[in-house]
Amino acid sequence: MSDVLSFDPHHYRYPSHRNVVYGSRGMVAASQPLAAQAGLDVLKKGGNAVDAALATAAALTVVEPTGNGLGSDAFALIWRDGRLHGINGSGFAPKSWSVESYRSRGWEKVPTFGWAAATVPGAVAAWCELSKKMGRLSLKEVFAPAIDYARKGYAVSVTTAYNWEKAYQKYSVMESPEFVGWVQTFAPKGRAPRAGEIFRSEGHASTLEAIADSMGDALYRGALGEKIVAFAEKTGGFFTMEDFAAFAPEWVEPISINYKGYDVWEIPPNGQGICALMALNILKGLELRERDSADTYHKQIEAIKLAFADVHRYVADQRFSAVPVREMISENYADARRKLIAEKATDFRAGDPMRGGTVYFAAADEDGTMVSFIQSNYMGFGSGVVCPGTGIAFNNRGACFTMDASHPNVIAGRKRPYNTIIPAFLTKNGKPVGPFGVMGGFMQPQGHLQVISNVVDFGMNPQEALDAPRWQWTGGMKVIVEPGFPAPEALKLAAMGHEIVPEVTSNDFGRGEIIWKTDEGSYAGATEPRTDGNVAAW
């Protein structure tokens, strides 16, 4: 008989309550407590908000591998020196990818898993670029907590364990040689680790050390990259050292719209942040009387549907295809699209604007630098491909490409696919309010819209804005609603023509973090109740 208490960490009989967290010298809000603490540790050692964000990013690849890894993409918005900076760290396709080469293999659509979906990892290059341009400490110091978690082990958190088990059921049955490393790396006991179980990954620790010692060159130009390429050649992959060496993150100018006196900022395409801006631009011209009403939900849902119709038609890598960004977020186009919203739900199509399982976290320091950061393998652990002995799980972002040669997001070598991950930032009158984000695939712009509306339209504090029940449009007329969504309003939405589907868990409704700056110069932080989120404050 055990000497310790036995309980189910996945079962909670009673609702819990979270307060807004305040700090004056620094703050990190993340989806996993150990990662947030890693960022705060680096702040206390003299690092700035960028160093804290990178420490959190590295730690999350270890402690929450169900949503990101060393093979991820990344984007960030950084408030520093009185302005907002943006970096696009989304990887591109291997040079050999093309519609013709895929069809010659019998593929009529880009595969969801395997080497055929894995783009060149961009997150590590973005980390190194941010460290060089904006960091204060060395990467060796910044990565120390993550390396320690990987080498000495950490206790797996509850939501991570839940998603790990779901992933095990999917990835463990993949039999192609390219998938052999997944079980070896992430299920060495022949099963997913359970909540509270200690998990270690020496390969992951060694890889982080190699990246830190070489400022990323080990991956993009050195022995680590060569090991990956050799594994790819052996198991039917596409990566070459030329692909790795050719990649570099891109500094970009953030884009914004004004929503009722507040400027909402996103990264420009190839990401889908423009979707949130378009939907908010439409929504701001509509009257929203009360938050928990079918009328408000209906207007929000129709606005996001209109935005997605255009985003799925036009968004692509701007180095390859012209994306009408200015026109898509113009007031005239928002006015025209808003007129299409009726009292009943509508299945919208794209207009013509030319006529008029991801992780998100935020960090801030006492000097006023604030970071909104997101990274992802796309679908959970990504492609299912893991290079043995490295801890690197490769993304499956290539699955976002289309094989339609007439579409701007058509697959092509060295091209970045449409990307779902989007960090966001809020300012007012040219001054920072703070970073925010909601991760979760195509839920992300929908989460951004709902959070901003909660804050601006209904005066919610940051924690309340994250706690509020969410909906998600999933295509056509279908809208899923999470537990806690008001049933009478759901019935009214159904009567308006929406296909309402209640969900039994909140796992698919995004996970967000917020840090707002106060009039006192302190920070107010909030974290996601739908996961193991934590705000670490100083």
Side-chain angles (χ1 to χ4, degrees), residues 104-154:
S104 71
R105 294 170 180 256
W107 297 326
E108 289 304 315
K109 60 178 291 188
V110 180
T112 304
F113 301 106
W115 282 121
T119 55
V120 172
V124 170
W127 297 350
C128 296
E129 179 71 6
L130 283 166
S131 179
K132 283 187 285 188
K133 295 290 176 60
M134 295 184 172
R136 186 180 294 162
L137 304 180
S138 70
L139 274 187
K140 193 168 184 177
E141 294 171 287
V142 168
F143 286 179
I147 292 168
D148 187 70
Y149 290 148
R151 178 160 289 138
K152 295 181 181 178
Y154 64 94

Side-chain angles (χ1 to χ4, degrees), residues 372-451:
S372 182
F373 202 109
I374 197 162
Q375 62 190 26
S376 173
N377 273 349
Y378 186 31
M379 296 179 180
F381 281 89
S383 63
V385 179
V386 179
C387 184
T390 67
I392 301 176
F394 293 99
N395 68 78
N396 62 331
R397 187 60 64 182
C400 289
F401 276 126
T402 178
M403 298 274 279
D404 179 357
S406 66
H407 196 282
N409 189 43
V410 64
I411 189 171
R414 302 278 168 86
K415 183 176 181 178
R416 298 177 300 202
Y418 176 111
N419 206 300
T420 59
I421 62 175
I422 51 174
F425 204 94
L426 193 66
T427 64
K428 187 174 185 180
N429 298 326
K431 296 181 179 179
V433 176
F436 73 97
V438 178
M439 67 274 227
F442 294 97
M443 176 65 199
Q444 292 177 58
Q446 304 185 57
H448 286 196
L449 177 143
Q450 291 174 68
V451 165

